[in-house]
Amino acid sequence: MEYFFYCRDRPGTWPLRVEFNDDHWAFMDRYDEVLIARGPTLNPDETTTGSMHVADLPDAEAARVFAFEEPNYRRGIYDEVLVRRWSGLTDRTMWDFTGAVAEYERFLLLGHGKPGTATVDPTLDAEQRAYLLEGDYRDRLIVGGSLLSEDGTDWTGTALTIELPDRAAAEAVLPNSPFGKAGMYENVEVLPWRFGGRTDDD
């Protein structure tokens, strides 16, 4: 089962992140073979605002361990932890992305589903997939997918990692998508993001 995690930092905890980064990495090393994407979201000064991971895990209990046994969570660094089942748009991982453009910026886009939109019309779903995979974003999408309820039956939103010229371009992606135009998002977050790993702070 694939899961999406976004852990939002508690304000003022950046020094703790730096102090205990090795503990976080050591914990994540256990998951090297199952990670689909990872990386921190960022302030303008490059300090972190949160951590995003997508991982292929055996079950809900394994997802609970991944989220809540993680050292940053146990030390109170995170203010909020979002855990959702994940249905990826592609089979690739972020390390398969080959379309990098040096001057472009990377973002995590979180489209939070509006209450009452748990069921997605198949035609609309196909339009959304085509918009992201066959249109202007085909070579810009790093990893993306739908966020689902714990049992995998209800749609709860969209998460995308994407590389674009600037924030304005990123802000346009989900509102102008078929799901956005159909009013399926309660709100959309646009978070500066970068690839994570042992050279970063995720």
Side-chain angles (χ1 to χ4, degrees), residues 6 14 39 47 57 63 91-92 117 134 180 188 194:
Y6 182 61
W14 169 247
T47 58
L57 300 169
D91 293 330
R92 65 174 178 257
T117 57
E134 300 172 16
V188 173
R194 68 175 176 231

Side-chain angles (χ1 to χ4, degrees), residues 89-163:
L89 286 164
T90 69
D91 293 330
R92 65 174 178 257
T93 73
M94 75 175 197
W95 295 278
D96 298 320
F97 177 68
T98 59
V101 178
E103 64 271 22
Y104 279 23
E105 301 174 42
R106 289 174 178 170
F107 300 90
L108 169 63
L109 309 183
L110 291 177
H112 300 281
K114 186 181 294 184
T117 57
T119 302
V120 180
D121 177 80
T123 300
L124 186 63
D125 186 59
E127 292 173 358
Q128 181 82 354
R129 293 179 65 87
Y131 171 82
L132 294 170
L133 297 177
E134 300 172 16
D136 295 340
Y137 302 115
R138 177 182 58 189
D139 298 324
R140 307 271 49 88
L141 183 67
I142 300 169
V143 169
S146 290
L147 306 179
L148 307 174
S149 60
E150 185 174 336
D151 63 4
T153 59
D154 292 344
W155 179 88
T156 66
T158 301
L160 308 175
T161 56
I162 197 164
E163 184 178 273

Side-chain angles (χ1 to χ4, degrees), residues 29-61:
D29 285 345
R30 297 157 45 184
Y31 296 96
D32 272 351
E33 299 302 315
V34 299
L35 286 172
I36 295 166
R38 66 185 297 185
T41 55
L42 304 166
N43 286 307
D45 64 0
E46 295 291 299
T47 58
T48 63
T49 61
S51 289
M52 182 279 293
H53 294 84
V54 183
D56 188 357
L57 300 169
D59 51 35
E61 174 59 19

Side-chain angles (χ1 to χ4, degrees), residues 60-74:
E61 174 59 19
R64 186 202 65 78
V65 170
F66 186 97
F68 301 114
E69 298 297 323
E70 194 270 327
N72 285 350
Y73 177 81
R74 292 171 66 86

